Amino acid sequence: MTLLLKNRGALLILMLNLLLVFTGIGLIIPIMPKFMENLGITGGIVGLLVAAFSLTQLLFSPLAGRLADTYGRKKMIVIGMLIFALSEGLFGITSSTWVMFLARMLGGISAAMIMPAVMAYAADVTTKEERAAGMGYINAAITTGFIIGPGIGGYIAEFGIRVPFYAAAAAAIIAACINYFILPESRAVEESASEAPALEKHQSGGLLTQLRYAYREPYFLSLIIVFVMSFGLANFETVFGLFVDQKFGFEPKDIAFIITFGSIAGAVVQATAFSWILKRFGDKRVISVCLFFASLFILLTLFVHKFWLIFAVTFVIFLAIDILRPAISTQMSMVAKDQQGYVAGLNSAFTSLGNIIGPIVAGFLFDLNINYPYTFACMILLICFFLTLKRRAMQGANTAL
C-alpha cells in the first residue's frame, strides 16, 4: 500500500531514527547474560533492573503524551534520544548496582518521551485508511533494529563486553542529531499549543488520576489487554537470554542468531503485509490469534531441545509478537481522534505496568526454576486471549441490539 503522505520523507526519517535507536537497544541483548554473570547479578536483580526501566516509563508516559500534544512531537523525540544515549553510556561504564538502576530509570524516561511522540507523529501524517500501513512501517523499523542489533552486538562484544553499550549510546546521539536538523514537526508548535484538544479534568491530571479514571474511556478493555499482554510477554523476553544460556549453554553469538533470524519474518510482514492482514481479518481477530499462538509456542519452548527446534519455536513467537504490537497500536490510534499523544501515553503507561510486574515475577521465578517463567507467561497470555474473545462477544451482542 502506498501512503498518501504530505510528509513521506518525514516518516522515512522517523523510521531511520527508530532503526538506529532500536539497533542500539538490540546490541546489548546477546551480551547481557555474560555481562550479568561477570558482575555476579542474579535473575531476580535482572528482573528488577527491567522493572526499574518500566517504572519510570510508567510514571512519565502520560505526561510525555500530553507534552507531545501541546509542544510538538519532535522536541519529545530529540530529548528522549539524548536521555537514552546518557542511559546506555552510564550503564556501560559502571560496575555499581545502584548506578545500573539509575541508568535503567533514565532509559525508562527516554522511552516514555520517544514512543508516544512517535506513535502520535505517525498518526499525524497518515489518514485513517493509511493508519495500519503507517504503524506497520514504524514497527518494522523497530523490529529491524532488533534484528540487526543483536547480530552486530554479538560481534562487537568480541572487542569488550561493554563496547555494545557505548555503540548504543553513539547510535542514539546520531539519531537525535538527524531528528533535530532534518525531521520536520508534524504539527506546528503554535497550532499544538493553541488548538490542543480539550481534555476532561481526569485526563489533564496526574498519572494516578488518569489510571484511576481510565475505566471511563471507550478503549478501557483495550488498555487491560495491553497490560495483560505486556505482563506475559515480559516474562518471556526478560529471561530469554538467561534461559537458553543456562539450559542449552548458548553463547552470545547463538542468542544473536536466534533473535536475528527469528525476527526477520516479523519485519517483513510489518512492512509489506500487515496493512492487508488487518483489513482482511480485522484488528480484533488478529490480536486474538497472535495471543493464542504466542502462548502456545512459549509453552512449547519447554519441550524442545535441538537447536533447530528452538529456532523454529522462537521464530513463531517473534512473528506473533511483531504482528500483535502494531495491531494494538493501530486499534488504539483509531479511537484517539485528536488526542493521539494522550492515548499513546496511556497505552505506554499500561504497557509499562505489565513490564514492571512481569520482569520481577519472571526474574524470581527463574531463580526458583528456569522453566517457571515460561509456564506462567503461557498462562497469562491465554488469559489475555480469552479476554479478547469476551470483548468480541460483547461487541457482537451490542451490534445485534
Side-chain angles (χ1 to χ4, degrees), residues 240 250 254 257-264 304 306-318:
F240 176 75
F250 285 2
D254 299 318
F257 179 85
I258 291 177
I259 294 175
T260 299
F261 290 94
S263 300
I264 286 176
V304 296
K306 294 183 179 180
F307 181 86
W308 71 270
L309 284 174
I310 298 168
F311 170 82
V313 168
T314 307
F315 184 90
V316 175
I317 295 170
F318 286 164

Side-chain angles (χ1 to χ4, degrees), residues 226-240:
V226 166
F227 165 72
V228 179
M229 175 194 71
S230 301
F231 179 88
L233 294 180
N235 274 269
F236 172 76
E237 295 170 338
T238 299
V239 299
F240 176 75

